[in-house]
Amino acid sequence: MKKIVILISFVSLFALTVFAQTPRPAGAAAAAQPTGGTGAEGKIALVNSAAFNGEIMELRAKIEALGSELEPARKELEAMQKQIEDIKTNLQTKGTTVNEATKQQWLEQGQELEKTFKRKSEDYEAKLQKRGAEVIQPINGKIVEALSKYAAAKGIAIVLDFVAAQNNGLLLYAKDTTNITDDFVKEYNKANPAAAGTAPAKKYPQQVVNNEQ
């Protein structure tokens, strides 16, 4: 049986993304830079996009709303999973003390529940992915655009996703001062306030659905 763990969240917005290059100085001749910059323009910064789910309040509000929308289906899956586990426990602990008819009934009931659970969990995951794209993707687009503008305003030529860069062995060392996450989040939240009543930010797990054998 697949054991489903349902976590409302979304993985990093970008794996390893290069954002806006610093604009050329006004009046610079096009022929002066025929193949791009000189290699010395602007700065490189890091952003931890994994923090956005809990700290960008507009995004967090959408995630929480989606979680509420899918709550009934999630609870149904959890209840069904518990039924299956209870039947397995009965078979393991009481299988030798009941008659064959009862034992067979448990087996058939468990098998039928597992089939239904598998189908419903697949439906749930598909809906979560679909609704997640519909609800979250527009906000993700806004965040990417805002980050590009932020980088240009700060004279940053390249922004790297900290988690993706580290996981792929592309980040060996970085000063703390290169991390722009907190400052960017503060500016974004100020420009894009979430709906009133949104709770203070907290960390979210970085998984949508995790199926374990």
Side-chain angles (χ1 to χ4, degrees):
M1 182 194 76
K2 286 187 176 181
K3 183 176 181 182
I4 190 166
V5 180
I6 305 163
L7 305 170
I8 299 298
S9 182
F10 292 85
V11 294
S12 295
L13 299 175
F14 9 75
L16 177 60
T17 308
V18 178
F19 289 95
Q21 289 187 344
T22 307
R24 293 179 182 178
Q33 297 183 13
T35 58
T38 65
E41 293 86 353
K43 299 170 287 188
I44 294 177
L46 297 173
V47 67
N48 179 12
S49 66
F52 290 173
N53 291 342
E55 295 178 6
I56 289 184
M57 302 309 290
E58 183 181 34
L59 178 59
R60 176 178 171 169
K62 293 291 185 181
I63 290 172
E64 290 181 343
L66 180 59
S68 296
E69 176 186 332
L70 299 179
E71 182 75 359
R74 185 184 66 80
K75 286 187 174 181
E76 180 185 13
L77 284 172
E78 288 180 346
M80 193 175 298
Q81 182 175 302
K82 185 178 185 304
Q83 282 183 281
I84 294 170
E85 290 173 349
D86 288 345
I87 290 172
K88 286 189 173 184
T89 298
N90 284 338
L91 284 168
Q92 291 170 356
T93 61
K94 302 176 183 178
T96 57
T97 63
V98 297
N99 58 45
E100 195 61 31
T102 299
K103 187 176 178 180
Q104 186 62 32
Q105 183 182 7
W106 286 347
L107 282 169
E108 291 175 359
Q109 184 182 3
Q111 290 169 353
E112 190 61 33
L113 277 170
E114 282 190 333
K115 290 178 184 177
T116 304
F117 177 83
K118 183 177 184 295
R119 175 177 54 80
K120 285 183 175 287
S121 63
E122 288 172 351
D123 290 345
Y124 177 92
E125 183 174 353
K127 185 174 182 180
L128 176 59
Q129 298 291 346
K130 180 176 182 293
R131 290 291 294 133
E134 293 170 350
V135 172
I136 305 303
Q137 190 170 333
I139 304 298
N140 285 353
K142 282 181 63 177
I143 293 170
V144 171
E145 182 179 359
L147 187 52
S148 297
K149 292 178 179 178
Y150 173 95
K154 302 287 185 180
I156 298 169
I158 297 174
V159 179
L160 300 179
D161 187 314
F162 172 82
V163 176
Q166 190 173 51
N167 289 345
N168 286 280
L170 301 175
L171 183 64
L172 301 180
Y173 170 78
K175 286 185 176 181
D176 290 341
T177 51
T178 62
N179 189 337
I180 61 172
T181 306
D182 289 345
D183 190 56
F184 169 70
V185 166
K186 186 187 301 182
E187 289 201 11
Y188 187 93
N189 284 338
K190 184 177 180 180
N192 303 274
T198 302
K202 63 183 179 182
K203 303 298 181 183
Y204 280 80
Q206 296 308 303
Q207 236 172 337
V208 180
V209 174
N210 176 31
N211 290 326
E212 298 176 356
Q213 296 294 336

